[in-house]
Amino acid sequence: MTTSYTHAPTETVSVAGTSFAYREVGADGGGVPVVLLHHFTGVLDDWDPAVIDGLAAERRVIAFDGRGVGRSEGVTPDSVEAMAEDAVDFVEASGLGAVDLLGFSLGGMVAQVVAQQRPDLVRRLVLAGTTPAGGPGGGRTGAVLQDAVQQASAQGKHPKHFLFFSPTPTSQAAADAFLARLDQRTDDRDVPASNETIGAQLTALAKWEQSAPALPLESPAKPTLVVNGDEDTMLPTINSFALAQQIPGAQLSIYPDAGHGAIFQHHSLFVQQTLDFLRD
């Protein structure tokens, strides 16, 4: 198995008759597999190789496109709960057994539901740049996205400069480095999220953000690491505090001078903290 995500081949597995695309890196003997759950519009090529390769130094790491996303077949669900069902089906179809889940943004919401609905499949959780259902300051994601796209167009930048990173020179330099890492892969690139997928995911986000505040995650609670930047404009950082308070024993790590994509800006620190947390 390759240890470089940039060169990992894209493979498929049949999930209830539907082909799901995935890539994996790391050693077969790398303990409990780490399954990654992605952000809004994210496909396989949007995962930072620095994060995945760092985790793969000790773990088998699997990233996949959800139903209807990228190269995966089917129609993208419009609810977090249905996305969680697909994630469960992927884990079971892949024969992974119990896994550690790393959910970023929308993926963090999906991870919460998987842990509640199928605790037998989840050992530990890493929830980055995400929010509990009905979290504080929710319901603004659509407007934030639209504003970022407009700023990016006006300034000739990528929307992720504004969505994932702070406006400071240090954070914007980290954005440039992150985007350069994403561009390192030149062959076997994934398919960008379609308009249909984007619409369904926006609906799922709105339902989650506007739902009644969630009850504490005690059914049962899993060891959890919550991570974010100190200036997340997509899913305000206060949500990470709320999420950590809802999960008994959760660890909370807030990175300085960082936004929604803090795990990419501070990738070395994030990898080290995550590996330390996931070790038995």
Side-chain angles (χ1 to χ4, degrees):
M1 190 182 301
T2 181
T3 56
S4 169
Y5 188 69
T6 298
H7 302 292
T10 304
E11 304 180 74
T12 60
V13 62
S14 179
V15 178
T18 300
S19 178
F20 275 38
Y22 72 96
R23 294 177 191 153
E24 61 177 297
V25 295
D28 285 327
V32 176
V34 180
V35 174
L36 310 184
L37 301 172
H38 221 337
H39 66 77
F40 167 71
T41 76
V43 297
L44 294 175
D45 292 328
D46 291 302
W47 280 113
D48 189 344
V51 169
I52 294 186
D53 291 351
L55 296 175
E58 294 188 12
R59 293 303 184 103
R60 179 184 178 193
V61 183
I62 301 103
F64 74 99
D65 285 336
R67 186 180 300 273
V69 178
R71 291 189 183 179
S72 290
E73 297 176 344
V75 177
T76 303
D78 65 358
S79 74
V80 170
E81 291 75 15
M83 293 175 186
E85 292 178 8
D86 284 342
V88 167
D89 289 343
F90 173 82
V91 170
E92 292 186 326
S94 301
L96 298 176
V99 301
D100 292 328
L101 289 180
L102 192 169
F104 171 50
S105 194
L106 174 60
M109 304 170 198
V110 174
Q112 293 173 57
V113 176
V114 173
Q116 285 191 309
Q117 299 299 323
R118 288 296 305 273
D120 57 305
L121 287 183
V122 181
R123 192 190 68 122
R124 297 193 176 199
L125 289 170
V126 179
L127 304 176
T130 193
T131 173
R140 298 179 56 253
T141 304
V144 172
L145 289 167
Q146 185 176 17
D147 181 63
V149 170
Q150 291 174 347
Q151 289 189 66
S153 177
Q155 299 184 34
K157 291 188 174 183
H158 195 288
K160 287 180 179 175
H161 277 96
F162 306 96
L163 293 172
F164 283 10
F165 297 85
S166 297
T168 65
T170 301
S171 192
Q172 287 298 295
D176 292 338
F178 164 66
L179 292 168
R181 292 194 297 272
L182 296 189
D183 287 340
Q184 288 175 355
R185 187 183 183 98
T186 57
D187 299 323
D188 188 29
R189 301 274 304 180
D190 203 356
V191 179
S194 67
N195 289 334
E196 290 76 15
T197 287
I198 293 171
Q201 291 181 340
L202 275 174
T203 299
L205 282 168
K207 290 178 180 178
W208 182 264
E209 292 178 331
Q210 296 167 12
S211 61
L215 296 175
L217 303 181
E218 297 178 345
S219 55
K222 297 291 182 179
T224 302
L225 172 63
V226 179
V227 180
N228 207 345
D230 62 354
E231 193 177 353
D232 187 340
T233 58
M234 281 198 68
L235 297 173
T237 305
I238 188 64
N239 287 284
S240 294
F241 286 89
L243 186 57
Q245 290 174 344
Q246 288 186 8
I247 305 173
Q251 300 179 31
L252 176 64
S253 186
I254 302 296
Y255 298 152
D257 184 29
H260 190 62
I263 65 172
F264 308 134
Q265 177 171 338
H266 295 277
H267 55 84
S268 295
L269 175 58
F270 173 69
V271 166
Q272 189 59 57
Q273 285 189 330
T274 300
L275 289 177
D276 288 345
F277 170 74
L278 294 179
R279 290 189 189 108
D280 293 325

